[in-house]
Amino acid sequence: MNVMTITWLTTIDNSGLFVCSINKKRYTAELLNVSSVFVLNVPTRDMEDTILRIGSCSGRDVDKFHKFGLQICCPGWSSSSSLRHEHDDKKRKTIKNAIALSDCIAHTVCTVQSKQDQGQHWLLVCKQEFSWCRKVYFEDGKRFRRNSDSLPPYLTFLGSQTFGSVV
């Protein structure tokens, strides 16, 4: 179990495909050889310090969840046992061992579709399988952005300890 800070995410199409790059030496790269399922968690501006601390150490050496007081949950803030319908079988199987950060405002369960060797990095082609976001961040049911100025904007990590936020 691990959590990392990632940048260099680029969408490929409107069907949920995207690419990302990960250094082959990262602990997360090792874990993705064991399971191709991972969760993208979307943090808010007030989580910047925590995100930088997460990215400053390796889960190979440190239990980041304990060290940084990260609270985990099932993606979508519910349990996989709450999925009761037959069409939920794929979802249940996919998210069975997936974990998410409960303080984040959105969770997207993803699977690695292919991996290309790019020297020091893997270029991963991934697919968004299932997504959830807090209702207050789903403006008018169509756009992923906050419904009120009183809510913190969500972050995007630009690399080199730099963030952008969506207001």
Side-chain angles (χ1 to χ4, degrees), residues 36-88:
S36 64
V37 176
F38 64 96
V39 178
L40 290 177
N41 294 276
V42 179
T44 54
R45 183 183 291 158
D46 54 345
M47 298 173 74
E48 282 184 36
D49 183 56
T50 301
I51 295 163
L52 289 174
R53 289 185 290 144
I54 287 169
S56 71
C57 60
S58 172
R60 184 182 287 117
D61 307 317
V62 174
D63 179 347
K64 296 180 189 184
F65 299 94
H66 176 73
K67 182 173 183 171
F68 304 125
L70 303 175
Q71 300 299 310
I72 61 173
C73 64
C74 185
W77 304 277
S78 63
S79 71
S80 60
S81 63
S82 67
L83 303 172
R84 305 238 187 268
H85 303 290
E86 229 175 89
H87 66 275
D88 290 331

Side-chain angles (χ1 to χ4, degrees), residues 5-23:
T5 302
I6 191 168
T7 187
W8 303 339
L9 294 156
T10 303
T11 58
I12 295 174
D13 61 22
N14 290 330
S15 299
L17 289 177
F18 65 95
V19 293
C20 62
S21 172
I22 185 168
N23 189 307

Side-chain angles (χ1 to χ4, degrees), residues 11 18 25-26 43 46 70 87 115 124 127 136 140 144 160 167:
T11 58
F18 65 95
K25 294 179 183 175
R26 301 257 183 227
D46 54 345
L70 303 175
H87 66 275
K115 189 165 55 167
L124 305 176
K127 180 165 179 53
V136 294
D140 68 23
F144 179 50
S160 301
V167 293

